[in-house]
Amino acid sequence: MENTPPNSTTYTFSRRFRISVLVYMLGFFGMAAATIFVGIIDRDTPNPNAPLVVALALVFVTLGYYCIDIWPKIHASIEVTEEHIIQRFRNGQSIAIRWQDVVGIRARQFLGRIEIFSKDAGKIIHVEAQIEGFGEIVATLQKKVRRRA
């Protein structure tokens, strides 16, 4: 268990959400395999729609790959303290931005997240909408940034 300051709150993705991503990933790869097997391999005669079967299987593979791609991101956590907002990753890396160093906040509605920009170039924290307590994080951001302005 990591030590957190007394006035800090840590937000993570729910266990249920992480399990659902894993189930979807396995499901998509299973559907890709089943599509190829039923549409091409397990047939007595060649399927004239084989290119469409392969295209459908590639859609499932792409969706499965997306689940693999977001897997490390859904194991990140957001810690909010009086002085900082910190994004911690599973591999031990973290990004910390002091409230006074926040130069911009951008809502990325179609990506389902908020991006917090620091005055230090390249320092960006991504707060995903699926994280538990997203509304609390947004309210804290509004309060801290408004207080500074």
Side-chain angles (χ1 to χ4, degrees):
M1 183 175 233
E2 64 184 68
N3 294 331
T4 57
N7 291 335
S8 72
T9 307
T10 301
Y11 302 93
T12 60
F13 291 90
S14 71
R15 178 176 169 86
R16 175 186 247 170
F17 181 74
R18 291 192 306 252
I19 290 172
S20 72
V21 170
L22 180 63
V23 168
Y24 273 103
M25 177 180 53
L26 296 173
F28 287 136
F29 285 125
M31 290 296 293
T35 300
I36 293 295
F37 181 75
V38 172
I40 296 177
I41 296 172
D42 189 35
R43 297 184 61 90
D44 294 331
T45 60
N47 187 347
N49 295 319
L52 296 175
V53 170
V54 171
L56 179 60
L58 287 175
V59 168
F60 290 132
V61 167
T62 302
L63 293 169
Y65 175 76
Y66 174 73
C67 292
I68 290 172
D69 186 50
I70 67 169
W71 188 251
K73 296 173 186 145
I74 63 173
H75 284 86
S77 65
I78 301 290
E79 183 180 336
V80 177
T81 69
E82 288 297 319
E83 299 84 27
H84 298 86
I85 183 164
I86 305 164
Q87 185 174 24
R88 297 185 192 282
F89 299 97
R90 191 178 199 180
N91 64 3
Q93 293 181 332
S94 63
I95 300 170
I97 300 176
R98 296 182 315 163
W99 292 116
Q100 61 263 29
D101 293 342
V102 173
V103 293
I105 298 171
R106 181 169 47 181
R108 302 294 301 260
Q109 186 173 2
F110 292 115
L111 293 176
R113 69 177 176 217
I114 289 179
E115 296 173 346
I116 304 164
F117 297 92
S118 172
K119 69 180 180 181
D120 299 331
K123 217 179 205 187
I124 304 170
I125 291 178
H126 298 235
V127 181
E128 306 295 332
Q130 294 85 3
I131 200 164
E132 287 190 340
F134 179 76
E136 294 174 29
I137 297 170
V138 170
T140 302
L141 281 168
Q142 290 172 338
K143 187 172 29 171
K144 294 286 187 182
V145 172
R146 197 176 298 142
R147 187 183 305 159
R148 257 186 357 150

